[in-house]
Amino acid sequence: MVFDAHEKMIPSGELASNCLLAGDPKNPPLLLLHGAGPGASAASNWLLCAPDLARHFYVIAPDAIGFGKSEMPNPIPEKISKWMGYRVEQVKGLLAELGIEKTHIIGNSMGGALAMQCVIEMPELFDKCMLMGAIGAPFTKSPTLARMMSFYDDPRISRYRELIESFVYDPSVFDNIDEIIQERFAKAMDPELRPIQELMFKAMNEGMDSIIIPPPVLNRMEHEWVIVHGRQDKVVPLETSLYFLEHLKNAELHVLDRCGHWAQTQRWDAMLPIIMNHFLPQVAC
């Protein structure tokens, strides 16, 4: 039986988390950590993937602190490393509340840096791991990423459309691109969320170097990692994944053609087999 995806507010330490849940809780747990961007949330990153994953996993996808409907810290942090700390504690509290002793994990973009920080601090809670277009490495900031971080300087729908379309390799393949843009723009402009995200993106823009994970720390990680990157990613360049491939002890890299920053929506035909072969090879075979 596949359990339908639904959202639920769950205690997770100091701050409660709004979570997208799907699948049978008896299945192997799979924690999905979404990326940043104005209006981003767990559902915006993972909802379309959830039905396929829920056939084999218990899917847990929280809105990262600072995004979606999860509770917000008070006062609002001024440094991106403090935001990251809140999110690590959020993951720890969430897994404890759900009674999960060990889980697989996938981190997309900002969620990739968070996934690695969680594994560094709480290695016993994680089994196999995956990164998708992840930050957390030194890289040359792309013009698209710079425009995303400065979105709130001029938050108009036309600029938001330009931003979202730059995340994908070919916007024409999406039947619902206008719906995605309208829905995420509305979330980005929510009067309660907007002032928080303005401060958060300012902190991110000024402090990206503070969340870079140095080679000696990556070298000490014993977990098995699969790294996925879109060859045409205009947001986070391939050099980040090459850095992780160089310094992680147990890692392999898949570079997907005809794919921008959202591999899980643009190349799900390739992503799902990679996920299954990595996390559940006995089922994939």
Side-chain angles (χ1 to χ4, degrees), residues 116 131 134-137 218 227 240-248:
M116 286 183 285
L131 301 174
I135 64 171
L218 294 173
I227 307 166
T240 63
S241 287
L242 295 175
Y243 173 87
F244 297 133
L245 181 66
E246 178 182 1
H247 297 296
L248 286 167

Side-chain angles (χ1 to χ4, degrees), residues 83-202:
W83 281 105
M84 188 67 71
Y86 272 116
R87 293 165 188 155
V88 171
E89 293 301 317
Q90 172 191 23
V91 168
K92 180 180 179 180
L94 179 61
L95 295 179
E97 178 68 22
L98 294 174
I100 293 173
E101 297 181 356
K102 191 179 285 279
T103 180
H104 300 308
I105 187 171
I106 302 177
N108 173 217
S109 194
M110 175 204 72
L114 174 57
M116 286 183 285
Q117 192 63 39
C118 287
V119 174
I120 290 165
E121 295 190 29
M122 306 172 289
E124 71 283 356
L125 295 182
F126 301 98
D127 194 351
K128 293 183 179 180
C129 312
M130 178 178 286
L131 301 174
M132 299 169 51
I135 64 171
F139 70 98
T140 304
K141 187 186 296 182
S142 69
T144 299
L145 183 59
R147 287 177 75 83
M148 184 193 82
M149 290 183 175
S150 64
F151 167 73
Y152 284 109
D153 293 346
D154 180 21
R156 292 176 292 115
I157 186 70
S158 58
R159 288 193 71 228
Y160 198 77
R161 174 179 294 278
E162 169 207 322
L163 179 64
I164 294 299
E165 290 185 347
S166 68
F167 274 55
V168 302
Y169 167 66
D170 181 4
S172 68
V173 304
F174 288 85
D175 295 332
N176 63 336
I177 190 72
D178 288 334
E179 180 182 335
I180 293 172
I181 292 168
Q182 293 289 344
E183 181 178 340
R184 288 182 58 132
F185 181 73
K187 291 180 180 178
M189 301 303 289
D190 180 279
E192 293 186 7
L193 187 61
R194 175 179 171 176
I196 295 171
Q197 294 216 330
E198 287 186 14
L199 293 173
M200 182 175 61
F201 280 103
K202 182 176 185 291

